[in-house]
Amino acid sequence: MNDKTVIAKPETKSTPTPQKVVYTSADIPGFDYQRDLGAPGKFPYTRGVYPDMYRGQLWTMRQFSGFGTAKDTNKRYKFLLAHGQTGLSVAFDFPTLYGRDSDDTMAKGEVGRCGVAIASLENMETLFSGIPLDKVSTSMTINGPSAVLLAFYIAVGEKQGVPSTQLRGTIQNDILKEYIAQKSWIFPPKPSMRIITDILAFCADHVPKWNTISISGYHIREAGSTAVQELAFTLADGFAYVEAGIAAGMDVDKFAPRLSFFFNSHLDFFEEIAKYRAARRIWSKRMRDKYKAKDQRSYLMRFHTQTAGCTLTAQQPENNIVRTAYQGLSAVLGGTQSLHTNSMDETLALPTEHAVRIALRTQQIIAYESGVTNTIDPLGGSYYVEALTNKMEAAAEEYFKKIDSFGGVIPAIEQGFFQREIASSAYQYQKEIEAKKRIIIGINEFVEDTPPDIELLKISTKVEHDQNQGLKKLRRRRDNAKVKKCLEAIKAAARGTDNLMPKILEAAKCYTTLGEIINTLKKVFGEYKEPPIFW
Amino acid sequence: MTDKIRVLVAKPGLDGHDRGAKVIACALRDAGMEVIYTGLHQTPEMIVNAALEEDVDVVGLSILSGAHMTIFPAVLKMLKSKGMKNVLLTGGGIIPEDDMPKLKNLGIGCLFTPGAPTTEIIDYIKTEVTKRKKSKK
């Protein structure tokens, strides 16, 4: 080690307080096992949501993937399933995420680039061709147009002879996070929340095994938040959905058991573990004490984790395999229900088969070789981990108060509160790296001049052309009079109070495109526009 | 009009990942430049019109979506057609090494990938703009 590389533990904003050299029982005064931890599967669920955790069932291994056409992605899904992946996770391209057809003017250059292009039921049929929907669970990262993609999925199930009551999976459907961080919105907050409550009500009756919202901190963290901000903002969003459901007249226990969460797993190993433990405890307490849920399942904070894409470096990309392994391990020690491990090349492009296989193997090594799955919450009772869990919880509570002072999540979004907090943390993080208060291998220490030499996935420009040709043919072939009628029904429902889901499902089945449905809704609901603030 | 370097930071296309754009905007501002941030979902036309209106020296595009081979050339062409031949078009994001020389050959400035220190970007812009301002005189 040369003398420049003495690593001082920085006092950063991402840790709630300066870290001590050693922790003792004095750091968890008044610690009470039953009150603060409870057994796994027991209130307040700090140690895990199930009594047997990984002894009963491993987490779902779910690599987030999608690129090019539905046909290209279908091939990748079959590759991943053949290598031991246990659930699917669909990454859509930007046009799809914004509810635009692939031949929309704004879609130019983006079709199939950052995910798979899905503009109609026809594309969705190809995506799941040869994949029985009663055998897999599918997570779909979709927010603004989530109702439409869910309808496509239900319709594919019907075609395969799988009733909607048997479908298992998740739509992300977390629009508040979109305004806060990921920025793939369509409509303004109010109509967006109405679509979500329509989905909650529809799924409770027709798709009971479906996770209707995956309340996501992942993107909040990727946008630059600290661990505490990720924890607090995500849970605040969760509370806002619960309140919206209750305000829409639903019994909390009717929809809360189907809410799930999605967190990021970043670099600070113990801080991340404490974050998951604190999240479970905060959620169960609120659900019981404030929202008066009676059903124990409403108390369970089940979550998916993805390792932090933003921690991957373009420099020395093989090091990303190691980063991802530690991040995956902290998610497992934190009790995740489902995990995506990033591929080493994702800071440069979408992953190749080679890279994604290593990422999947990383999870399998944690699961089958490391032994960490044998014991539940092995860090429970550690002075340090418990103190950190307590501090994360207290810091999150401070943020909840601040959000309440704005009048709730939506007014706080409208006043740019979250956006400013996150932008400020992101800039702070970058400054810490440049000042070497944080050491990132290959970036500000142990730097090498050689450019990365790894194989990268290329998306052909032919994808856009083929996709648009297919769409053109579909529009000629289908019953256009029926499509028109379906769109009118959607418009009428949007203007009134009927649940939108049955109308959207009907439209999906007669091959109305995603863009057509969303444009119809835009005419009633309008579009959201964010003020351009960077500080 | 001050002597400050004026930079338009823009997020083209549908991509909502604005962390990089915002971090760079802050860093350029702290380095004494005038920064105008367009916000999200800009078309090449909107970007070029903003550049013209704001009379900027630099346009910096942040692209992660993979659409860089479509968007950078489109913005460059439009800048030239509107007479902004001296404006530096630069940017960064997820841009594979292989595509960089192709874009450079078209006349697009240095492109920065994740991990690039903001100081390097600041120095590059300062040097390049000074050079262009001198050649203009």
Side-chain angles (χ1 to χ4, degrees):
Chain A
M1 206 186 222
N2 67 46
D3 58 1
K4 283 191 304 182
T5 59
V6 176
I7 300 170
K9 187 68 196 165
E11 212 175 285
T12 65
K13 270 185 79 178
S14 71
T15 35
T17 52
Q19 296 188 18
K20 298 168 65 171
V21 178
V22 70
Y23 282 77
T24 68
S25 56
D27 293 295
I28 43 169
F31 176 81
D32 180 298
Y33 185 87
Q34 292 304 338
R35 185 197 63 208
D36 301 325
L37 300 185
K42 290 268 187 275
F43 197 86
Y45 303 95
T46 315
R47 309 205 69 184
V49 287
Y50 302 124
D52 54 358
M53 289 301 286
Y54 305 134
R55 289 301 283 262
Q57 192 184 359
L58 286 173
W59 63 91
T60 306
M61 300 188 190
R62 206 189 283 279
Q63 300 299 99
F64 177 54
S65 51
F67 62 92
T69 61
K71 208 173 154 192
D72 300 326
T73 298
N74 176 262
K75 201 176 141 223
R76 175 63 64 92
Y77 289 165
K78 287 178 178 162
F79 170 87
L80 288 166
L81 290 168
H83 283 85
Q85 174 170 278
T86 50
L88 297 174
S89 178
V90 188
F92 297 101
D93 69 359
F94 281 114
T96 310
L97 292 175
Y98 279 88
R100 290 169 185 261
D101 287 341
S102 311
D103 54 0
D104 186 290
T105 15
M106 280 297 275
K108 214 170 152 40
E110 307 214 22
V111 177
R113 295 251 158 216
C114 252
V116 59
I118 301 293
S120 71
L121 174 58
E122 186 177 55
N123 294 151
M124 202 73 155
E125 287 166 15
T126 309
L127 187 68
F128 293 103
S129 152
I131 299 171
L133 300 194
D134 54 345
K135 299 278 188 300
V136 292
S137 78
T138 303
S139 168
M140 293 190 275
T141 300
I142 195 76
N143 296 288
S146 55
V148 185
L149 273 299
L150 175 61
F152 287 168
Y153 194 80
I154 294 170
V156 173
E158 274 182 29
K159 293 211 159 198
Q160 288 188 0
V162 181
S164 64
T165 48
Q166 293 305 309
L167 296 175
R168 287 178 303 121
T170 307
I171 36 170
Q172 197 165 76
N173 200 24
D174 178 2
I175 201 67
L176 294 172
K177 166 267 300 183
E178 293 298 331
Y179 303 120
I180 291 173
Q182 173 83 346
K183 317 292 172 79
S184 302
W185 55 68
I186 300 174
F187 314 111
K190 275 192 188 127
S192 291
M193 291 299 272
R194 179 252 167 113
I195 294 172
I196 289 172
T197 51
D198 279 2
I199 292 171
L200 295 180
F202 179 83
C203 288
D205 294 332
H206 303 283
V207 209
K209 294 183 180 172
W210 198 263
N211 293 316
T212 47
I213 314 178
S214 168
I215 306 152
S216 305
Y218 183 81
H219 312 89
I220 292 173
R221 193 66 178 281
E222 288 289 296
S225 84
T226 63
V228 165
Q229 288 168 341
E230 178 194 356
L231 173 67
F233 298 172
T234 309
L235 288 173
D237 287 349
F239 303 149
Y241 293 121
V242 170
E243 286 166 18
I246 293 170
M250 278 180 272
D251 174 0
V252 64
D253 285 321
K254 195 177 174 194
F255 66 88
R258 297 316 307 170
L259 300 177
S260 65
F261 286 81
F262 174 20
F263 288 110
N264 197 297
S265 189
H266 213 273
L267 290 168
D268 191 323
F269 191 72
F270 291 104
E271 184 179 64
E272 294 302 286
I273 295 167
K275 178 181 79 185
Y276 310 124
R277 300 173 88 250
R280 271 194 296 269
R281 193 158 70 195
I282 297 169
W283 184 252
S284 62
K285 282 190 199 164
R286 277 271 175 136
M287 292 309 289
R288 188 187 70 177
D289 302 339
K290 182 165 181 191
Y291 301 120
K292 311 290 178 205
K294 303 269 184 301
D295 187 338
Q296 297 278 323
R297 291 174 307 159
S298 298
Y299 305 158
L300 306 185
M301 201 217 60
R302 299 165 299 125
F303 69 104
H304 168 72
T305 309
Q306 181 173 342
T307 59
C310 63
T311 66
L312 304 183
T313 62
Q315 296 73 9
Q316 306 175 39
E318 293 91 341
N319 295 347
N320 294 331
I321 300 173
V322 184
R323 289 191 179 97
T324 297
Y326 288 128
Q327 293 168 4
L329 181 60
S330 81
V332 168
L333 291 174
T336 196
Q337 275 60 61
S338 159
L339 179 60
H340 165 123
T341 34
N342 286 321
S343 304
M344 62 169 161
D345 51 357
E346 285 186 74
T347 183
L348 302 158
L350 292 184
T352 60
E353 279 190 356
H354 173 70
V356 78
R357 192 173 52 208
I358 296 173
L360 179 58
R361 294 283 181 257
T362 304
Q363 293 201 38
Q364 291 164 338
I365 290 166
I366 297 171
Y368 299 105
E369 296 183 13
S370 74
V372 297
T373 56
N374 291 335
T375 302
I376 302 170
D377 188 34
L379 298 171
S382 142
Y383 299 128
Y384 175 46
V385 171
E386 297 303 349
L388 201 50
T389 304
N390 292 345
K391 277 174 187 160
M392 301 284 288
E393 181 175 0
E397 292 288 352
E398 284 303 307
Y399 264 121
F400 300 148
K401 276 190 211 138
K402 211 176 261 179
I403 295 163
D404 283 345
S405 75
F406 281 95
V409 171
I410 293 177
I413 288 171
E414 287 166 348
Q415 290 168 62
F417 168 68
F418 300 106
Q419 298 92 318
R420 279 175 219 273
E421 284 282 306
I422 295 167
S424 151
S425 298
Y427 186 40
Q428 181 72 20
Y429 186 83
Q430 178 67 24
K431 284 204 289 195
E432 283 164 14
I433 290 172
E434 294 188 15
K436 285 203 181 186
K437 282 187 184 166
R438 258 175 210 281
I439 300 298
I440 307 289
I441 308 306
I443 296 286
N444 59 3
E445 201 52 85
F446 311 109
V447 178
E448 293 172 17
D449 288 333
T450 41
D453 182 25
I454 55 169
E455 179 204 355
L456 294 179
L457 182 80
K458 292 218 164 77
I459 313 286
S460 156
T461 45
K462 213 172 151 281
V463 165
E464 188 160 327
H465 175 261
D466 290 354
Q467 171 70 4
N468 290 342
Q469 287 301 314
L471 207 47
K472 215 183 260 176
K473 279 187 204 154
L474 176 81
R475 288 203 186 100
R476 274 203 300 267
R477 203 170 54 233
R478 65 186 187 181
D479 182 345
N480 277 304
K482 208 169 163 194
V483 167
K484 208 174 152 205
K485 231 174 121 190
C486 284
L487 289 173
E488 277 160 16
I490 290 174
K491 200 188 255 180
R495 284 190 176 137
T497 53
D498 282 358
N499 193 310
L500 283 161
M501 271 310 292
K503 319 283 180 207
I504 292 174
L505 185 56
E506 205 49 43
K509 284 188 204 167
C510 62
Y511 296 93
T512 312
T513 67
L514 169 67
E516 290 162 344
I517 296 172
I518 294 299
N519 286 337
T520 302
L521 291 172
K522 273 186 197 168
K523 281 180 199 147
V524 182
F525 295 150
E527 281 186 79
Y528 181 69
K529 198 142 179 57
E530 182 191 56
I533 303 163
F534 67 91
W535 191 250
Chain B
M1 216 49 157
T2 62
D3 279 343
K4 276 188 174 180
I5 296 175
R6 293 174 66 79
V7 188
L8 184 75
V9 174
K11 275 293 296 176
L14 294 171
D15 166 25
H17 295 86
D18 54 4
R19 175 182 185 159
K22 287 180 172 176
V23 165
I24 298 299
C26 290
L28 298 182
R29 179 205 54 192
D30 286 356
M33 301 182 198
E34 291 281 355
V35 179
I36 301 108
Y37 174 53
T38 61
L40 295 168
H41 310 150
Q42 303 291 300
T43 61
E45 199 163 25
M46 289 156 89
I47 293 166
V48 173
N49 284 340
L52 191 63
E53 242 166 63
E54 298 286 349
D55 189 24
V56 295
D57 305 299
V58 183
V59 173
L61 303 180
S62 166
I63 307 180
L64 164 146
S65 70
H68 51 274
M69 295 306 281
T70 309
I71 290 168
F72 274 106
V75 171
L76 186 71
K77 202 173 147 196
M78 231 176 267
L79 280 173
K80 282 185 180 160
S81 77
K82 298 226 173 176
M84 287 178 279
K85 294 192 177 73
N86 232 15
V87 169
L88 166 66
L89 177 59
T90 174
I94 309 286
I95 299 165
E97 204 77 23
D98 287 1
D99 290 338
M100 294 213 180
K102 294 178 205 159
L103 293 168
K104 198 169 183 185
N105 283 341
L106 296 173
I108 289 154
C110 270
L111 299 177
F112 299 88
T113 48
T118 55
T119 44
E120 195 181 314
I121 300 168
I122 292 160
D123 288 347
Y124 169 72
I125 289 179
K126 281 184 178 165
T127 317
E128 195 61 24
V129 170
T130 316
K131 215 157 67 186
R132 286 173 190 232
K133 278 188 172 165
K134 264 186 202 155
S135 73
K136 209 174 162 185
K137 282 170 194 166

